[in-house]
Amino acid sequence: MSDQTIGAPVHTTRHHVEPKDPAKSLSQRVPFALSRMDASTPYWVLVIAVVLLAVFPFGRLLIAAFGPGIEPFIAELSRSASIRATVNTFDVALWSSFISLGLGGALAFLVGATDMRGKRAVSVAFLLPLMIAPQVTALAWLQLFGPSSALLQSIGLAPPSGSANPIYGRGGIILLLGVQHTALAFITLRAGLRAIPGDVIEAARACGASSWRAFSFVGLPMLAPFLAAAFALCFVSSVGNFGIPALLGMPENYLTLPTLIYQRLASFGTGMIPRVATLAVLVSFIAGIGTIISAFVLARYATRIEADKPLAPFRLGRARLPAELGVWGLNVLLLVAPLTALIAASLLPSYGMPLNAETFTLGNYAEVLFRQDVTTRAFMNSFMLAGSAALLLMMLSLPSGYALSRLSGRRRVVLEALVETPYALPGIVLAIAMILLFIRPLPLVNVSLYGTYGIILIAYLSSFYVLALRPVTAAFSQLDPRLEEAAAMCGAGFWHRFTRVLVPGVLPAAAAGGVLVFLTAFNELTVSALLWSSGTETLGVVLFNFEDGGYTTLASAVAVVTVLVVLTLVALLDSLAHRLPRGTLPWR
Amino acid sequence: MGGAGIHLTDCAKTFPDGTRALLPLSLEIAPREKVVILGPSGCGKTTLLRIIAGLETPDLEGSVYFDDDDVTGLPIEARRVGMVFQSYALFPTLTVAGNILFPLRLKKVPKEIQETRLAQLASFVGIEGLEHRHIHELSGGQKQRVALARALAVEPRILLLDEPLTALDAALRERLRAELSSLLDQLGVTAIYVTHDQAEAMALADRIVVMDRGAIAQVGTPFEIYEKPASPFVAKFIGAAALIPAHAHDGGIHVQGQRIASYADKRGDVFLVARPEDLVPDDEGPLQGEVTAATYFGDRKRLHITLTDGPPIIVDTPPDTSIDAGDTTRLGLVNDTPRILTP
Ligand SMILES: Nc1ncnc2c1ncn2[C@@H]1O[C@H](COP(=O)(O)OP(=O)(O)O)[C@@H](O)[C@H]1O
Ligand SMILES: [Mg+2]
C-alpha cells in the first residue's frame, strides 16, 4: 500500500468488502419486535400518546358542548347562576392575582435585586406553598382564623365563639388564592430580574440617573413582559382552582365556575353532564386565553434567559434589617402560622377545644392512619394512583421526550401545545372530559371504567404527562447529538443507541419528572373529587369530605400527613438537583 | 467639551470574595489626554476603569480626584463621566433617539435643545437617519456608535471606554478604530480606553498604561513602550518579543560568547529584545537556530526558530525565502543598536 497517500480516501477493488448495514447486523441480536424499532418509533409513540391523552378528551368535551348546536350553549351561559359564577371567578381571580403580583414582586425584588441576606432561605420558604395542596392551605387558614382557633386560643386572641369565620367567602378566597400563587409570581419575576443586564442599569446611572431612577426608567420596562406573564399565570391558576373556593366558598354558597360545576354534578348526577360541559368549555376558554397570553409574551419579549452580567444589588442601607424582618414576618404570617394552626388542630380531641397539656392527643393520627378504613384506603389509593402515574409517565416520557427533542418547527410547537393543554386547563375541565369519555362502557371490550381506579389513573396520565415530559425533553436536548452519531458510526442500531447511550444520560431527569408527577398527583383534589366513587377515594377527597362533614380534627391530621410526605419528597428531589437540567425543579 | 485631569492615589480593590483585583496604584492623567489601559484579560483593567467611573469604590486608603474635586465617595451619576460599555448596554426598550437623549431627558432639557443635540450627535458619530430605529434593528457597528453618542450626550468631563470594539468582527474593528481615533481627537475630552489589543492601543493612545496582575507594569508613549519596555512582561506582551539572555562587557553585547553589537551603557547579564522584525537570516550572523515551523502569509514568511541553547523566537522574512521547517539557519541583527532590557 506504499502508493497510497496518507489521509486521502482510497478505494481499491482488491480490498473492497461488502459494507455491513449496522442496523441489519444488530437486528440479528435483538428480538424480532425490537428489531422493527427505528428512529421513527419514538415519534409515533409521542403522536399516539398525544392523541390519546390530549386530543381525545378535549375533542369529546368540545363535541358535547357544541354538538347540539350553539343555542343550548348560549342558553346555559345566560342562566343567572352561570353568570354569577363567571363574575365571581373573574372577581376572585383578578384581585388574587394582584395580591400575588404585589407580594411576589416585592419578594422577587428583594431577593433578585438587593443586598438582603439569607436569599436562598427566603426563596425556599416562599416557594413551599407551591408544594402544598390548595385544600390544605384552605384548611390551615380556617384553623388559624376560626373562632375556636386552637392557636389563637392558646395566646388568648381568638375571636368570640359563635362569630363567623372571617376566612369564609369572597375575601378569604381572594386572600388565599393570592397567597397560594405568590410563588408563581415570585419565580416568574425573579427570572425577569435575572434577564436585566447589570450594565444597562449602570449605563443609565452614567447618564445621570440615581439607582432607583435607573431601575424604574430602564429596568421596569424590561420587566414588563414578565409582569404580564406572571399576572396571566396567577390569573389562570386562580380561575381553575377548586380546593380553595370549595372549602371557603361552597359553605356560604359563594360559587366560582369550578365549584358550580362540582355542585351541579354532585347534586344532580351525571344527567347534568351536557350542561356542565358547556361551563367546562367556558372555564377552558378563560384559562386558555390567559395561558396563551403568558406563553406568547414570554416567548416574544423575554427571549434572553439570563443576562451575562447580573444586576448589581441595590444597597438597602438602613432599610435592610427592617426589610429582612418584614420578609420573615410575612412568611410566618402566610406559611408558618397557618401550618402551626393546622398542626394544633390535628392534636385536639375535638374541634374548638384549646390546646394544652391535658387536651393534647395523637388520637387523630391513630384514627386516620390505622383505624378508619376510609383513610387507610385513601392513603393506599393515593400512593398507588400517584405511583402508577409516575412510573407509567416516566416510561412514556423516554421515547416521546426523545422524539420531541429531535423535532423542530411547526410540528414541535403543535405537539408541545397539545401536551401542555390538559395540564394548563383546570382539573375540573379534565374531569368532565374524562366522564364524557368513559361514562359508557368502552366499545369492543364492553368494560366500563367509570367509577374505577382506571378513570382516575387515565386522568392523571393526561393531566401530568407534561410534567414528566418536560425535564426529559430538556435532558435529551442537552445531550451532545454527536454522542448519538458516534454510536451510530460504531455500528449501533437505533434501539441499541437509545437504550445504551441516550437513556442513561437522561435517567436523572426522568426520575425527577416521575417524582414531580407523584407530588402533584398525591396533592391533587380537583380531578378525583369528580371521579371518585366508594372505594377509590383519594387523600384529597377524604380531606374534603371530613371537613365538609365537620370532622375538622381528622381532616387536619390527614393534611399534616400529606404535607410531611410531600416535604420529604421535595427534600429528596432537591438533593438530586445538581444532576438535573436547569429549570426542572419549580422551586429552584 | 473640556476635560478634567485625573489623579488616582493608592487605589486598590479587594472584592468581597477576597479577590485582589487591583494592588495599590497611583496614576496621573492630564486634561484632554487620551490614555489607553492595556493588558491581558483579567489583569484588572475594567476594575480600574470602574473605579474611575464611580461604579466601584477603591479600598479605604485610595482616593480619586477629577482636577481638584475629590470624587472618591461620589457615585457614577454624580461624576459626569461618559461611559461606553463592551456590551454596548443600550436600553432595549427605547429607540436610538431615546437612548441618546436619555441623559438630557433626565435633566428635563427643553425639547428644542434636545432636537439640536440629537442632530449634532447623530451626525458626529455617523448615524443620521437611524434615530427612530429600535435597538434590535441595528448592526453591531451602529450600536457601538449609538453607545458613543449616548456617552457624549452627558457632556462628560471624562470619557471612559471599556473594550468598545472587542465585540465587533476584525475588519469592522479596524475601520472603527481609525474613526474613533479621529473622533477622540476632535472632541478634546479626557479619554480612557481599555483594551487587550496592542494595535488598538498604539493607534489611539497619547500614553499607554500597561497592566499586569493588578499592578501597573509601565506607563509611557506608544514609542517608549515599544522601544524601551521596562520589564520582560511588557516586552513579551507588546510586539511578541522573545528575550534572549545576553551579557554586556567590554563595550559590547555578547550572546553565547559571540559579540553581536556594541553597547556601553551597562555591564552584566541583560536580555536582548528580539521581535519578529529584529532578526534576519544571515549566513555570517552571530546566532544559530533550527526552524521548527514556517508559515507563508503572502506579504512575509514567518519562521519559528529555536535558538541553539536559547529560547524559541519568531523571525519574519521576505515571502520568497527558501528556508523551511527542519532547516538550520544563522541569524543576524537588522539594526546595529539592539534593544536591551536589563533585568
Ligand atoms: N465583582 C467581582 N467580584 C470578584 N472578583 C471580581 C469581580 N470583578 C472582577 N473580579 C476579578 O478581578 C480580576 C480583574 O478583573 P477585571 O478588572 O474585569 O479584568 P480585565 O478587565 O482586565 O479583564 C479578575 O480576576 C476578575 O475575576
Ligand atoms: Mg474587562
Side-chain angles (χ1 to χ4, degrees), chain A residues 387-404:
Chain A
S388 323
L391 265 179
L392 289 173
L393 286 179
M394 248 169 77
M395 291 189 313
L396 180 59
S397 73
L398 287 172
S400 52
Y402 170 80
L404 196 59

Side-chain angles (χ1 to χ4, degrees), chain B residues 12-228:
Chain B
K13 182 68 193 178
T14 311
F15 282 108
D17 65 358
T19 312
R20 292 275 278 166
L22 278 189
L23 304 175
L25 62 80
S26 300
L27 185 63
E28 297 284 320
I29 293 169
R32 286 182 289 285
E33 194 179 14
K34 291 188 293 176
V35 170
V36 173
I37 300 175
L38 175 66
S41 171
C43 71
K45 307 179 295 291
T46 298
T47 307
L48 178 58
L49 195 75
R50 289 169 62 85
I51 286 178
I52 298 172
L55 288 168
E56 305 281 1
T57 44
D59 293 350
L60 280 180
E61 66 278 17
S63 69
V64 182
Y65 278 77
F66 290 176
D67 291 335
D68 296 328
D69 300 344
D70 182 354
V71 297
T72 315
L74 286 187
I76 184 168
E77 55 265 32
R79 286 196 186 186
R80 243 185 78 212
V81 295
M83 182 136 178
V84 177
F85 293 79
Q86 181 172 352
S87 59
Y88 318 122
L90 296 175
F91 310 136
T93 50
L94 301 179
T95 60
V96 168
N99 268 272
I100 297 176
L101 293 178
F102 189 79
L104 283 77
R105 290 188 176 152
L106 278 174
K107 280 191 272 180
K108 304 212 162 54
V109 171
K111 274 267 167 354
E112 317 82 67
I113 302 182
Q114 286 188 20
E115 308 253 306
T116 354
R117 273 303 275 159
L118 178 63
Q120 272 174 3
L121 285 166
S123 99
F124 184 67
V125 301
I127 48 162
E128 301 104 317
L130 302 181
E131 289 89 339
H132 300 292
R133 292 268 182 94
H134 280 281
I135 297 307
H136 61 86
E137 297 168 326
L138 302 180
S139 70
Q142 289 167 338
K143 285 183 188 164
Q144 198 51 74
R145 289 161 202 262
V146 175
L148 179 62
R150 183 182 62 184
L152 294 175
V154 180
E155 306 201 1
R157 293 192 277 183
I158 292 159
L159 184 62
L160 303 169
L161 306 104
D162 190 359
E163 312 224 12
L165 304 181
T166 303
L168 304 172
D169 64 63
L172 185 59
R173 195 154 65 215
E174 195 147 331
R175 213 180 74 221
L176 278 186
R177 183 214 294 162
E179 234 177 87
L180 198 55
S181 173
S182 98
L183 288 185
L184 291 182
D185 281 337
Q186 291 172 48
L187 282 169
V189 65
T190 310
I192 303 183
Y193 187 106
V194 161
T195 182
H196 65 267
D197 178 346
Q198 55 142 326
E200 238 167 81
M202 294 285 181
L204 288 161
D206 294 334
R207 265 194 317 156
I208 295 177
V209 176
V210 185
M211 289 188 59
D212 176 23
R213 281 169 294 170
I216 292 179
Q218 187 174 3
V219 181
T221 62
F223 183 84
E224 286 166 350
I225 300 277
Y226 195 86
E227 292 298 328
K228 300 193 193 90

Side-chain angles (χ1 to χ4, degrees), chain B residues 227-276:
Chain B
E227 292 298 328
K228 300 193 193 90
S231 69
F233 170 80
V234 178
K236 284 180 182 165
F237 189 68
I238 308 284
L243 298 181
I244 302 171
H247 199 265
H249 57 83
D250 300 334
I253 290 285
H254 303 255
V255 175
Q256 291 169 11
Q258 292 255 30
R259 182 189 169 97
I260 56 164
S262 52
Y263 179 78
D265 289 6
K266 285 202 180 72
R267 295 173 60 84
D269 285 331
V270 295
F271 288 113
L272 176 68
V273 178
R275 293 214 171 82

Side-chain angles (χ1 to χ4, degrees), chain A residues 504-528:
Chain A
V506 303
L507 274 184
V515 181
L516 274 181
V517 169
F518 186 93
L519 274 176
T520 321
F522 194 74
N523 261 337
E524 182 280 332
L525 163 64
T526 325
V527 172
S528 46

